[in-house]
Amino acid sequence: MVLKAFFPTCCASADSGLLVGRWVPEQSSAVVLAVVHFPFIPIQVKELLAQVQQASRVGVAVLGTWCHRRQEPEESLGHFLEGLGTIFSHEPWLQLCRERGSKFWSCKATHWQVPISPGAPGEDQVMLIFYDQRKVLLSQLHPPAALPDHQAGDATASAGGLAAVFDTVARSEALFRSDRFDEGLVRLSHWQSEGVEASILVELAKRASGPVCLLLAYLLSLISAASTCWIFKLWPLSFIWSKLSTCEQLRHRLEQLTFIFSTQKAENASQLMRKANMLVSVLLDVALGFALLSWLHGKDRIGQLADALVPVADRVAEELQHLLQWLMGAPAGLKMNRALDQVLGRFFLYHIHLWISYIHLMSPFIERILWHMGLSACLGLTVALSILSDIIALLTFHIYCFYVYGARLYCLKICGLSSLWRLFRGKKWNVLRQRVDSCSYDLDQLFIGTLLFTVLVFLLPTTALYYLVFTLLRLLVVTVQGLIHLLVDLINSLPLYALGLRLCRPYRLSAGVKFQVLEHEAGRPLRLLMQINPLPYNRVVHTYRLPSCGCHPKHSWGSLCRKLFFGELIYPWRQRGDKQD
């Protein structure tokens, strides 16, 4: 049987001593965590291992001995190792030795209780695998991606063995808290034996994070209680709160901040990573918001935007008037219904006149409104972009009204024509059973149906042309708002902290390992170097992507084309399962 011994590279130059680690019988593997140096008292080593086992819940034991460059004579070393195997009694008993003045190693795994022949202990072949203890400790192993069926079993088995190694090193952190500056009775060698890594700034931040999180959690709870007040549940306020993108974004940020500054400790590494991603996302959002705020208030750019806003609105209204006048004539040489064309054109022209009057009435207050809205950028760039989306919706409200009027008329005629078409075929729509049933009609009903069908058919081109033009304008506005919402969702959901770890410390996010052959000679144990494969960027984004506010639906192309053809309204603020008008 071949045994796998995982040996930390930091202990390759350590002095002789005992190998301390965990034995994984399912994988026939020994994970070496540290080396206990001579001289030592066995009872003190056992007490240390008992403390580590109680703190980490890992079965830490003495796995064997480590001999550096054969400093002890062969005969005395053999008797000494046999004595240690009797004291600590572990099966199998590992003996790792490094050759003097060479790069060769010798590895033995001895079974004292199961001999091959009477009077001779049994020995197994050992595969020595070196690993970087610090990287494995700080790394987080992710499950493998979806593989074909014939590779799924092998991938699961290998992932389970690697998970046992990573879990053993991660949970044995209590063993790595002592270094050479401690005055303990047992001297160890591990990745922190030369000095424990620490930072004064990090320690101060840890001690200050408790009171700060408690204070911020209390303030956020007050804001959440105020937002759920009964005043905001009244009809006008509740309608505005559910339709404006700014309110949706503020609610989303409030939920994120409540989760970040929660006083409850993160249960696992995934939840801790989620908190870190949210914190970095909020900090970047606020930093970009302050950059936008400084740009807006520099060189009187808000006044310039206010002065340019009214002429742009007048220009848009003027172009709409020219478009309506073109539709009221003979657009593209099409012969329209004169009476219906004039009624629809004058109706829409009157709405444009009302809109121009409204814009000029609000023009003295636009600069002040923009100034106060610019201050909202201190809450984050996403809040400013949401306000921009709401401003676009308010400035194009007349286009939305034109689209609704045209869509309702077009939908009414489509429904009328489909109903009258069923009348010609002797069928009707059964409302109770939600199906088409056969029906017999008399002569008068067929005559009236023929007249109405003829009228709707000849009026349909005029209505369809107005519907087509205003639908294109509406889709243009919805596209601009969709791009803004896409940018907001990108800032909200992008796992920036995880991407930063993948860029600066790729070993922190592990997708697996690869092995490099260090020595493969006959009569010598196989020596491998375990290296961590970093998680690909696409899997980092897919695994740690944050939930977005989701204030707009995700229509498929098929459903969108169906809605446009039948004249159904497109609501950018509706969710997928909401009831529509």
Side-chain angles (χ1 to χ4, degrees):
M1 183 174 63
V2 178
L3 304 181
K4 297 181 288 294
F6 292 86
F7 191 80
T9 56
C10 56
C11 298
S13 59
D15 296 335
S16 301
L18 294 176
L19 298 177
V20 175
R22 176 192 177 190
W23 171 253
V24 185
E26 297 83 4
Q27 306 295 332
S28 298
S29 303
V31 184
V32 179
L33 299 174
V35 175
V36 179
H37 296 295
F38 301 116
F40 55 82
I41 301 176
I43 189 63
Q44 295 177 349
V45 176
K46 292 183 178 181
E47 290 178 356
L48 174 65
L49 297 182
Q51 294 175 1
V52 174
Q53 186 171 357
Q54 183 179 5
S56 60
R57 304 296 180 182
V58 177
V60 181
V62 176
L63 302 178
T65 58
W66 157 249
C67 178
H68 186 201
R69 298 175 181 174
R70 297 188 180 273
Q71 297 173 353
E72 295 82 1
E74 291 290 335
E75 297 180 358
S76 62
L77 180 61
H79 295 294
F80 183 69
L81 295 180
E82 184 177 356
L84 289 179
T86 305
I87 295 175
F88 293 101
S89 65
H90 184 271
E91 287 286 334
W93 184 257
L94 297 178
Q95 298 179 21
L96 303 182
C97 295
R98 185 175 180 180
E99 301 289 348
R100 176 183 297 179
S102 66
K103 62 178 181 179
F104 298 110
W105 294 56
S106 63
C107 306
K108 296 180 182 179
T110 305
H111 293 271
W112 301 103
Q113 299 179 0
V114 186
I116 296 177
S117 60
E123 293 184 359
D124 293 328
Q125 295 182 357
V126 180
M127 181 191 305
L128 191 59
I129 302 175
F130 295 93
Y131 71 97
D132 192 327
Q133 197 171 59
R134 179 178 182 274
K135 291 184 178 180
V136 173
L137 175 65
L138 299 178
S139 178
Q140 182 180 356
L141 183 64
H142 294 75
L147 296 175
D149 294 337
H150 66 278
Q151 299 178 0
D154 298 338
T156 304
S158 61
L162 292 176
V165 175
F166 278 73
D167 181 68
T168 299
V169 179
R171 292 167 58 186
S172 303
E173 191 175 0
L175 188 64
F176 309 138
R177 293 175 182 172
S178 61
D179 55 16
R180 64 188 182 90
F181 300 102
D182 293 336
E183 296 180 356
L185 299 177
V186 179
R187 189 166 61 93
L188 300 173
S189 284
H190 47 76
W191 74 280
Q192 287 195 129
S193 57
E194 294 299 323
V196 178
E197 289 189 355
S199 173
I200 298 178
L201 296 179
V202 172
E203 293 299 327
L204 291 177
K206 287 182 179 180
R207 295 190 177 273
S209 61
V212 170
C213 289
L214 186 62
L215 177 61
L216 291 178
Y218 177 73
L219 295 177
L220 292 173
S221 63
L222 293 180
I223 297 176
S224 301
S227 63
T228 57
C229 182
W230 64 271
I231 298 178
F232 295 100
K233 296 181 181 180
L234 298 179
W235 174 75
L237 295 179
S238 62
F239 180 80
I240 295 175
W241 182 262
S242 62
K243 295 299 183 289
L244 292 181
S245 301
T246 306
C247 299
E248 292 288 342
Q249 179 61 26
L250 290 175
R251 184 188 298 114
H252 181 68
R253 279 302 184 209
L254 182 60
E255 294 175 356
Q256 284 188 335
L257 292 175
T258 304
F259 179 75
I260 291 173
F261 296 107
S262 174
T263 55
Q264 297 181 355
K265 189 178 180 180
E267 299 177 356
N268 47 41
S270 299
Q271 191 174 7
L272 182 62
M273 185 70 73
R274 185 183 177 188
K275 278 190 174 185
N277 286 324
M278 285 186 180
L279 180 60
V280 174
S281 177
V282 171
L283 292 178
L284 179 63
D285 186 21
V286 173
L288 293 177
F290 275 105
L292 177 63
L293 182 64
S294 63
W295 181 81
L296 287 176
H297 288 272
K299 298 182 181 180
D300 195 24
R301 290 189 175 90
I302 292 182
Q304 297 176 6
L305 291 176
D307 295 338
L309 187 61
V310 176
V312 170
D314 290 339
R315 180 65 178 176
V316 172
E318 184 180 353
E319 293 297 332
L320 285 176
Q321 287 179 343
H322 292 325
L323 179 62
L324 288 174
Q325 291 173 1
W326 178 70
L327 292 175
M328 292 172 65
L334 298 177
K335 184 174 179 59
M336 314 294 291
N337 186 278
R338 182 68 177 174
L340 181 60
D341 193 11
Q342 293 294 321
V343 169
L344 293 178
R346 291 175 182 176
F347 178 74
F348 291 137
L349 285 174
Y350 177 71
H351 276 72
I352 292 177
H353 174 71
L354 291 179
W355 179 251
I356 294 175
S357 302
Y358 168 72
I359 289 295
H360 285 282
L361 182 64
M362 294 292 296
S363 58
F365 310 100
I366 289 180
E367 183 176 359
R368 182 59 58 181
I369 293 174
L370 291 178
W371 189 85
H372 285 91
M373 288 184 175
L375 291 178
S376 63
C378 62
L379 300 177
L381 180 62
T382 54
V383 176
L385 291 176
S386 300
I387 292 177
L388 177 61
S389 177
D390 293 333
I391 291 176
I392 292 175
L394 292 176
L395 292 178
T396 59
F397 183 71
H398 54 306
I399 296 178
Y400 175 73
C401 292
F402 296 163
Y403 163 70
V404 171
Y405 299 151
R408 288 306 187 192
L409 288 175
Y410 177 77
C411 183
L412 179 63
K413 292 188 177 182
I414 290 295
C415 293
L417 288 174
S418 61
S419 179
L420 293 174
W421 178 250
R422 288 193 294 267
L423 182 141
F424 291 151
R425 295 184 297 153
K427 298 180 181 297
K428 72 172 183 178
W429 174 255
N430 192 331
V431 181
L432 296 179
R433 297 181 181 269
Q434 294 292 311
R435 68 182 186 185
V436 178
D437 295 334
S438 300
C439 181
S440 59
Y441 297 96
D442 54 18
L443 186 60
D444 294 338
Q445 290 176 332
L446 293 175
F447 179 72
I448 297 298
T450 303
L451 290 179
L452 292 177
F453 185 81
T454 305
V455 171
L456 291 179
V457 165
F458 283 103
L459 293 180
L460 181 62
T462 304
T463 307
L465 184 60
Y466 276 89
Y467 169 70
L468 176 62
V469 171
F470 292 123
T471 299
L472 293 177
L473 293 176
R474 177 61 183 166
L475 288 178
L476 178 61
V477 176
V478 170
T479 302
V480 174
Q481 289 183 300
L483 293 176
I484 295 176
H485 285 293
L486 184 63
L487 182 57
V488 171
D489 288 345
L490 182 64
I491 299 176
N492 284 335
S493 61
L494 197 63
L496 298 173
Y497 179 76
L499 290 175
L501 281 182
R502 174 61 180 84
L503 180 63
C504 300
R505 296 183 177 181
Y507 60 87
R508 293 290 299 272
L509 303 177
S510 171
V513 298
K514 59 183 178 180
F515 296 94
Q516 178 183 355
V517 179
L518 298 179
E519 180 187 359
H520 183 39
E521 296 182 4
R524 296 285 182 178
L526 177 62
R527 291 194 298 129
L528 304 176
L529 176 62
M530 186 178 73
Q531 298 175 345
I532 295 178
N533 282 330
L535 198 67
Y537 284 99
N538 56 347
R539 284 196 60 192
V540 172
V541 175
H542 177 74
T543 305
Y544 295 105
R545 185 179 179 88
L546 298 174
S548 58
C549 57
C551 57
H552 60 284
K554 297 177 175 62
H555 292 294
S556 63
W557 287 106
S559 63
L560 181 62
C561 294
R562 185 186 63 83
K563 287 176 178 291
L564 293 177
F565 181 78
F566 289 102
E568 298 181 15
L569 296 182
I570 301 174
Y571 296 99
W573 56 78
R574 296 279 189 179
Q575 295 292 342
R576 183 172 294 181
D578 291 350
K579 182 179 178 181
Q580 297 188 2
D581 296 339

